[in-house]
Amino acid sequence: MADIATASNPEATAAAVEAARRGEGVAVLIPCYNEAPTIAKVVRDFREAMPEAVVYVYDNNSSDGTAELAAEAGAVVRRESRQGKGNVVRSMFRDVEADYYLMVDGDDTYPAGAAGDLVAPIAADEADMTVGDRLSNGSYGKENDRPFHGFGNDLVRWLIRLIYGYSFDDVMTGYRAFSRAFVKTMPVMSGGFQVETEVSIWAVDRRWRVADVPVDYRDRPEGSVSKLSTVGDGMLVLAAIASLFRDYRPMAFFGWLALVLAALGLLAGVPVVAEYLDTGLVARLPSAVLAVALVLCAALSLTAGLILDTVARSHRRQWEMSVYRVMEADRDR
């Protein structure tokens, strides 16, 4: 057991971190769609920063020669025919076997020099996911010329903090590192750019250890075009937050809904009851029916929340056991 990296074995921990910084056991995952102007440089930069890592480029139906340029630069190129970043991330997480995973966009906006800093906390067993934080040092605000993107990041971060009680600094970053247990036990359900939000919420909801690592951000070079639609993809992100809130925290979701319905029912019903107590008549029958219907819907919502919360707890227990199995298999490797 002397070679296991733990807090009580600092020599093994230092050796594991140093090996990970060189790229030993690291898979660099680069999802790509029409990134010909930048992909060759990104591959070369990460091969130089982590000479022992394997760089994977997953081409998502590019029509500009992205795959060929990545292969010439030394990457292992695979193709994903289902369009959307979420579909690409799902395939990467399923297919690639490694000890540590570093995911980065292929647009040359993130520095390869920070790769070692992102992987080190995971190799030291201090984190399960590290986040390339573009915001805390102000580099994203200086380089990014799309103000609504910053607003969207702040909104998503606020919503996650409101719902889950915790959020890290940069929710929408495309530069992250993961442990093997994180990757192999996460069910990626998103199809598009909302996958970053899904990963962030998964980490918070499942109480994975998350560490922020400040990185310098640079805007896309000339000729490189963003595929992100501020409004369209922003709406998908908000829809994903609502869907994941319902799935992961059904008691809170349906409890809040029940509270709103009950309040509306009281708002409609109190005047009817007051009138009945005063005159002995129910003159506003539609209001009375509406009030009863709203209160019944509130009761049904609360019941649904209780039932689904039991199901969610059962799924969480099964997931915990799957994490144990993956970690045990890793120890036996």
Side-chain angles (χ1 to χ4, degrees):
M1 299 290 288
D3 59 341
I4 296 179
T6 63
S8 60
N9 192 343
E11 294 82 6
T13 300
V17 170
E18 183 59 32
R21 284 184 175 276
R22 296 194 307 270
E24 182 178 322
V26 177
V28 179
L29 309 178
I30 309 177
C32 275
Y33 172 60
N34 286 343
E35 297 290 2
T38 56
I39 186 58
K41 179 179 183 301
V42 171
V43 172
R44 288 194 297 268
D45 287 350
F46 276 90
R47 292 189 67 201
E48 181 179 352
M50 287 188 156
E52 297 181 28
V54 180
V55 179
Y56 295 88
V57 170
Y58 272 65
D59 180 61
N60 195 206
N61 302 315
S62 297
S63 58
D64 63 352
T66 293
E68 292 75 13
L69 291 169
E72 290 173 6
V76 176
V77 178
R78 294 177 178 174
R79 299 183 187 272
E80 172 52 58
S81 60
R82 294 166 295 183
Q83 196 66 39
K85 187 174 182 180
N87 292 321
V88 178
V89 173
R90 182 184 302 112
S91 292
M92 291 191 300
F93 281 9
R94 286 178 180 176
D95 298 345
V96 177
E97 298 293 331
D99 296 324
Y100 316 107
Y101 297 81
L102 181 72
M103 186 168 70
V104 65
D105 294 337
D107 55 9
D108 194 30
T109 57
Y110 298 100
D117 293 336
L118 282 162
V119 173
I122 298 173
D125 196 29
E126 296 171 354
D128 301 293
M129 180 179 80
T130 55
V131 177
D133 170 23
R134 308 162 294 173
L135 303 180
S136 62
N137 61 11
S139 62
Y140 186 74
K142 293 177 182 177
E143 292 287 330
N144 177 45
D145 58 1
R146 294 157 293 181
F148 282 106
H149 285 202
F151 169 77
N153 192 92
D154 291 339
L155 176 60
V156 171
R157 181 173 53 179
W158 178 79
L159 287 172
I160 294 176
R161 186 179 298 277
L162 175 67
I163 294 170
Y164 296 95
Y166 172 81
S167 178
F168 28 95
D169 290 327
D170 193 351
V171 176
M172 305 297 291
T173 180
Y175 200 12
R176 303 168 189 257
F178 311 96
S179 66
R180 177 179 172 81
F182 187 106
V183 165
K184 295 304 180 182
T185 61
M186 180 185 173
V188 178
M189 306 302 293
S190 301
F193 280 106
Q194 63 269 40
V195 67
E196 270 112 1
T197 302
E198 182 182 5
V199 170
S200 299
I201 291 176
W202 176 263
V204 172
D205 181 74
R206 288 303 192 265
R207 291 178 289 185
W208 288 107
R209 297 168 298 173
V210 179
D212 287 305
V213 178
V215 299
D216 290 326
Y217 175 86
R218 52 181 178 262
D219 205 5
R220 283 174 173 267
E222 186 176 352
S224 178
V225 180
S226 174
K227 317 321 184 281
L228 180 65
S229 169
T230 302
V231 176
D233 288 308
M235 295 304 294
L236 289 175
V237 166
L238 294 177
I241 293 173
S243 177
L244 293 169
F245 180 32
R246 180 199 62 206
D247 294 344
Y248 293 164
R249 301 288 176 91
M251 188 64 247
F253 180 87
F254 287 99
W256 287 8
L257 180 59
L259 186 62
V260 171
L261 291 170
L264 292 174
L266 288 173
L267 188 64
V270 166
V272 176
V273 173
E275 185 179 50
Y276 174 77
L277 293 176
D278 186 41
T279 66
L281 299 173
V282 180
R284 290 183 284 185
L285 185 60
S287 295
V289 172
L290 176 62
V292 171
L294 287 170
V295 171
L296 287 176
C297 287
L300 287 173
S301 180
L302 186 61
T303 302
L306 289 169
I307 294 171
L308 292 174
D309 188 62
T310 301
V311 175
R313 287 176 181 272
S314 176
H315 287 171
R316 190 181 295 272
R317 293 189 189 98
Q318 294 173 16
W319 170 79
E320 287 283 356
M321 296 308 299
S322 71
V323 173
Y324 297 157
R325 287 192 291 270
V326 168
M327 297 180 74
E328 175 130 359
D330 287 346
R331 284 194 290 268
D332 294 339
R333 288 173 65 190

